[in-house]
């Protein structure tokens, strides 16, 4: 009787478990995307309970994937719209400067023909500046081309501020090295705005570019190029120096740039980091006799070639467009 009772109880439990398993199997067989919101109430942690709990987790994961896929599609659409807007802006910005400096050149010729040599010279510098700035179709330019554009910019500033002086000293054997474009002018503008503006732009800005020489008077193997921009302005307080020399941090950049107007300087630092890694730096320091010196250290050869390749391909696509 005990054995028979055990068999009957065992059959009852087995049939009950098999029924639950068969019901679960039928649900799986009839599963469709429409009923993906279905979840099982798990009471027992037996084999069927574990299967149902696993099914619930799987459906939660599928829901998360669907949400992420939807969000990614929205981001992709937004990116495509942004890319189209940037393409149109690129075309517009490519047309407008050319039209501008062609028009300025025409005005310059008329000024020269009318005997107004000073106005003609100012327009000539402005035409030169726009011609050089719009001619750049690569993220890298020679040091010579970068300095030529800076010369045109400073000549315009000297026409505007008569007591402003500008000098430059560049070693001839490094003029052909390739550097990221538009990294010198933001640093010079920083000297003008924060160093000389409160002195009515009375002062002297000096640019010096050279190969870094070690203590023994020879060129190190790493071929480091040093670019120094100095002014004799009012200098910077310790807080501003600390901020400009601080390691780059995304949140710090976003806040400090908007509040203190160092967008150009931070952009230079970020781009040098992308191209040179730890082999490119920008350091600010106060001069003993007044003013600020900015020291830029660069490798003679770009480090991150893969990054440059990607940038060149992107610029080529823009040019073809």
């Amino acid at each position: 009787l005990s054995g028979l009772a055990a068999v009957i109880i065992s059959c009852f439990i087995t049939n009950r478990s098999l029924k639950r398993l068969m019901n679960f199997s039928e649900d799986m067989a009839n599963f469709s995307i429409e009923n993906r919101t279905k979840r099982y109430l798990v009471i027992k942690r037996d084999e069927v309970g574990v299967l149902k709990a696993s099914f619930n987790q799987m459906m939660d994961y599928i829901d998360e994937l669907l949400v992420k896929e939807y969000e990614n599609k929205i981001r992709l659409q937004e990116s495509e719209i942004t890319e189209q807007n940037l393409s149109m802006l690129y075309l517009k910005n490519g047309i407008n400067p050319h039209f501008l400096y062609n028009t300025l050149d025409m005005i310059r010729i008329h000024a020269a023909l009318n005997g107004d040599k000073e106005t003609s010279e100012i327009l000539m510098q402005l035409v030169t500046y726009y011609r050089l700035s719009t001619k750049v179709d690569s993220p890298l330019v020679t040091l010579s081309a970068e300095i030529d554009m800076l010369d045109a910019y400073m000549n315009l500033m000297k026409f505007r501020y008569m007591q402003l002086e500008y000098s430059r000293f560049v070693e001839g054997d490094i003029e052909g090295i390739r550097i990221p474009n538009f990294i010198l002018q933001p640093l010079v503008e920083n000297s003008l705005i924060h160093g000389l503006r409160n002195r009515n732009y009375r002062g002297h800005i000096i640019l010096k570019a050279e190969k870094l020489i070690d203590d023994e008077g020879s060129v190190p193997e790493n071929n480091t190029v040093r670019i120094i921009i100095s002014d004799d302005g009012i200098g910077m307080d310790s807080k501003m120096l600390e901020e400009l020399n601080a390691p780059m941090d995304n949140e710090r950049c976003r806040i400090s740039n908007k509040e203190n107007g160092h967008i150009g300087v931070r952009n230079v630092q970020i781009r040098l980091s992308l191209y040179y890694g730890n082999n490119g730096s920008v350091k600010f320091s106060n001069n003993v006799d007044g003013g600020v010196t900015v020291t830029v250290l660069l490798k003679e050869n770009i480090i991150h070639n893969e990054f440059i390749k990607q940038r060149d391909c992107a610029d080529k696509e823009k040019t073809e467009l």
Side-chain angles (χ1 to χ4, degrees):
L1 290 175
S2 299
L4 180 60
V7 171
I8 293 173
I9 294 173
S10 176
C11 291
F12 175 78
I13 295 174
T14 302
N15 288 334
R16 186 175 179 181
S17 299
L18 285 175
K19 184 178 180 181
R20 293 172 59 213
L21 185 60
M22 290 180 64
N23 291 336
F24 181 71
S25 177
E26 289 178 2
D27 289 343
M28 294 296 97
N30 298 323
F31 176 79
S32 63
I33 194 64
E34 285 76 14
N35 57 4
R36 63 182 178 83
T37 58
K38 181 176 181 179
R39 298 293 185 273
Y40 291 99
L41 178 62
V42 179
I43 300 176
K44 295 182 178 181
R45 300 298 297 182
D46 56 2
E47 290 80 358
V48 179
V50 171
L51 286 174
K52 290 182 177 181
S54 299
F55 174 82
N56 292 341
Q57 293 178 357
M58 180 183 68
M59 295 309 301
D60 291 340
Y61 181 67
I62 291 175
D63 280 345
E64 290 180 6
L65 290 178
L66 291 174
V67 171
K68 289 182 180 178
E69 182 181 4
Y70 178 74
E71 291 176 349
N72 290 334
K73 285 183 178 180
I74 293 178
R75 292 194 190 98
L76 181 60
Q77 291 176 352
E78 291 176 348
S79 299
E80 291 175 350
I81 294 174
T82 301
E83 184 179 357
Q84 292 174 359
N85 291 335
L86 289 176
S87 298
M88 294 303 297
L89 182 61
Y90 178 83
L91 292 174
K92 180 180 178 181
N93 289 340
I95 295 172
N96 287 346
H98 285 84
F99 173 77
L100 178 60
Y101 75 69
N102 286 334
T103 304
L104 290 173
D105 195 37
M106 179 186 66
I107 298 173
R108 178 192 65 82
I109 294 174
H110 279 282
L113 293 175
N114 293 331
D116 192 344
K117 294 183 179 180
E118 184 176 1
T119 301
S120 176
E121 180 62 24
I122 294 174
L123 289 170
M124 185 61 200
Q125 294 299 329
L126 186 56
V127 169
T128 301
Y129 175 78
Y130 272 104
R131 178 174 54 81
L132 292 173
S133 63
T134 57
K135 185 179 180 180
V136 176
D137 56 357
S138 170
L140 298 177
V141 296
T142 62
L143 177 61
S144 177
E146 180 76 359
I147 292 178
D148 286 344
M149 188 170 68
L150 180 63
D151 288 347
Y153 171 78
M154 288 304 299
N155 287 333
L156 289 171
M157 294 297 101
K158 288 168 62 179
F159 276 118
R160 183 177 181 183
Y161 307 109
M162 303 300 294
Q163 294 178 313
L164 177 64
E165 298 181 40
Y166 166 67
S167 305
R168 66 176 177 88
F169 307 92
V170 182
E171 291 184 356
D173 59 342
I174 65 172
E175 289 186 346
I177 68 170
R178 283 158 56 85
I179 64 173
N181 62 12
F182 204 69
I183 63 170
L184 299 182
Q185 184 177 324
L187 300 178
V188 172
E189 286 179 346
N190 189 73
S191 292
L192 289 172
I193 295 173
H194 297 284
L196 300 177
R197 181 172 60 182
N198 291 338
R199 294 180 51 185
N200 295 322
Y201 297 96
R202 296 178 183 177
H204 193 182
I205 293 179
I206 302 175
L207 170 71
K208 185 177 181 181
E210 60 187 0
K211 279 190 176 180
L212 187 62
I213 306 298
D214 60 19
D215 296 335
E216 299 179 356
S218 59
V219 179
E221 294 181 358
N222 57 7
N223 293 329
T224 302
V225 175
R226 177 169 58 190
I227 302 174
I228 300 173
I229 299 172
S230 62
D231 64 71
D232 54 359
I234 63 174
M236 295 183 181
D237 57 41
S238 58
K239 182 179 179 181
M240 185 177 294
L241 281 176
E242 182 181 358
E243 180 180 317
L244 289 176
N245 290 326
M248 287 178 299
D249 178 81
N250 290 336
E251 184 65 24
R252 189 184 187 93
C253 288
R254 186 163 52 250
I255 296 175
S256 63
N257 286 342
K258 291 181 179 179
E259 292 181 351
N260 298 321
H262 299 311
I263 298 176
V265 173
R266 277 304 187 189
N267 284 341
V268 170
Q269 292 172 323
I270 292 171
R271 293 176 65 216
L272 291 183
S273 176
L274 289 172
Y275 282 108
Y276 298 96
N278 295 327
N279 294 295
S281 64
V282 180
K283 183 74 173 179
F284 290 80
S285 60
N286 278 324
N287 303 327
V288 176
D289 54 351
V292 172
T293 292
V294 187
T295 303
V296 182
L297 296 179
L298 306 173
K299 282 279 194 177
E300 186 172 350
N301 297 318
I302 301 295
I303 303 300
H304 292 182
N305 292 322
E306 186 62 31
F307 173 77
I308 297 170
K309 186 185 298 183
Q310 294 175 0
R311 287 290 304 270
D312 285 337
C313 290
D315 290 333
K316 183 179 179 182
E317 291 177 358
K318 289 181 179 179
T319 302
E320 292 175 351
L321 178 63

